[in-house]
């Protein structure tokens, strides 16, 4: 008996559509021949000098008591964007914001933040502060990136953020498996550890 497809033939899907789907992430990824595994990931880390990270943490701690983070724009501009921009100071990565790619009718849309050095890193904002559905969207975007990039990296890494919480994932390109990290990193509390991983992913 053939399992019914979630995706309708001939219908166009953007990355945002996968966030809005009510299906289990395993079933959505199966549409692309990819499995999902949840585990505690051992992620590359690199020492990040305390200067810029320390100043960012102090500025967030000073300002957050006065900012309402109920809107997506506020979380993006106050929490996510400053982290991404500070990351450039450490890695000199090329940054593309709202970077549009079109792999197929089922895999297209804009990548929130796409950074690359000799390695690449995808960062997306979890809409409606929904980390679970945000990760599903991240996984689909990593699948699209696998088909779009000319890189031969065996692993593609990404992170999804609500602003105050970050979660990592990676795609094993040959094994066709997405791994979802069970660890969560808080901003600003875990900012130093978060930066060690972000810098490590771009420089490892």
């Amino acid at each position: 008996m053939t399992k019914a497809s979630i995706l309708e033939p001939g219908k166009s899907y953007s990355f945002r559509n996968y966030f809005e789907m009510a299906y289990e992430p395993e079933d959505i990824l199966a549409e692309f021949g990819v499995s999902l595994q949840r585990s505690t990931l051992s992620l590359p880390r690199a020492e990040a000098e305390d200067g810029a990270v320390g100043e960012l943490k102090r500025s967030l701690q000073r300002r957050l008591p006065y900012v309402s983070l109920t809107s997506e724009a506020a979380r993006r501009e106050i929490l996510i964007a400053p982290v991404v921009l500070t990351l450039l100071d450490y890695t000199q990565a090329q940054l593309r914001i709202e970077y549009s790619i079109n792999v197929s009718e089922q895999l297209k849309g804009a990548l929130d933040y796409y950074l690359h050095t000799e390695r690449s890193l995808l960062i997306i904002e979890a809409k409606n502060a929904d980390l679970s559905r945000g990760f599903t969207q991240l996984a689909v975007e990593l699948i699209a990136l696998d088909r779009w990039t000319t890189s031969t990296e065996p692993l593609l890494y990404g992170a999804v953020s609500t602003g105050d919480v970050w979660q990592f994932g990676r795609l094993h390109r040959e094994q066709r498996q997405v791994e979802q990290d069970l660890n969560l990193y808080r901003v600003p509390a875990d900012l130093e550890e978060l930066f060690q991983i972000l810098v490590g992913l771009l420089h490892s």
Side-chain angles (χ1 to χ4, degrees):
M1 185 175 181
T2 303
K3 181 181 177 182
S5 176
I6 291 173
L7 304 181
E8 298 178 27
K11 184 175 179 179
S12 179
Y13 293 88
S14 70
F15 297 140
R16 178 66 183 258
N17 292 142
Y18 295 99
F19 174 88
E20 296 167 345
M21 287 181 179
Y23 299 103
E24 290 296 318
E26 289 89 344
D27 295 334
I28 294 174
L29 299 191
E31 293 287 308
F32 302 101
V34 175
S35 63
L36 176 65
Q37 178 177 316
R38 298 176 180 89
S39 58
T40 300
L41 300 186
S42 177
L43 297 167
R45 294 177 185 240
E47 286 302 317
E49 294 180 11
D50 186 51
V53 176
E55 178 52 38
L56 175 60
K57 185 172 185 176
R58 289 188 291 272
S59 68
L60 289 174
Q61 289 170 331
R62 285 195 308 268
R63 295 167 182 165
L64 284 176
Y66 308 105
V67 180
S68 171
L69 297 174
T70 55
S71 73
E72 289 180 11
R75 292 191 295 272
R76 182 174 60 249
E77 294 179 22
I78 300 298
L79 289 172
I80 300 176
V83 170
V84 173
L85 292 175
T86 303
L87 183 58
L88 300 186
D89 296 335
Y90 288 91
T91 63
Q92 290 77 55
Q94 295 293 313
L95 171 63
R96 301 290 182 267
I97 300 174
E98 291 293 316
Y99 188 43
S100 294
I101 64 173
N102 188 340
V103 177
S104 68
E105 282 301 298
Q106 297 176 334
L107 291 171
K108 62 182 180 179
L111 310 178
D112 289 349
Y113 303 96
Y114 177 62
L115 301 101
H116 64 95
T117 53
E118 67 279 5
R119 301 190 178 277
S120 61
L121 175 63
L122 174 62
I123 298 173
I124 75 165
E125 176 196 357
K127 306 300 184 285
N128 304 326
D130 189 329
L131 200 66
S132 178
R133 292 194 178 205
F135 189 88
T136 300
Q137 181 179 337
L138 173 68
V140 172
E141 292 188 21
L142 287 173
I143 292 169
L145 199 58
D146 169 53
R147 301 186 186 182
W148 175 84
T149 185
T150 57
S151 164
T152 58
E153 298 172 72
L155 299 170
L156 294 178
Y157 287 93
V160 58
S161 175
T162 60
D164 55 351
V165 178
W166 289 61
Q167 184 177 44
F168 288 94
R170 66 186 175 197
L171 170 64
H172 288 262
R173 300 174 77 179
E174 187 173 341
Q175 298 174 22
R176 309 301 298 158
Q177 182 183 74
V178 167
E179 286 185 294
Q180 181 177 10
D181 194 4
L182 294 177
N183 292 319
L184 301 176
Y185 300 88
R186 301 164 298 156
V187 172
D190 303 322
L191 196 59
E192 292 89 352
E193 188 176 8
L194 175 64
F195 258 88
Q196 288 176 3
I197 296 171
L198 291 171
V199 174
L201 291 177
L202 286 168
H203 276 180
S204 62

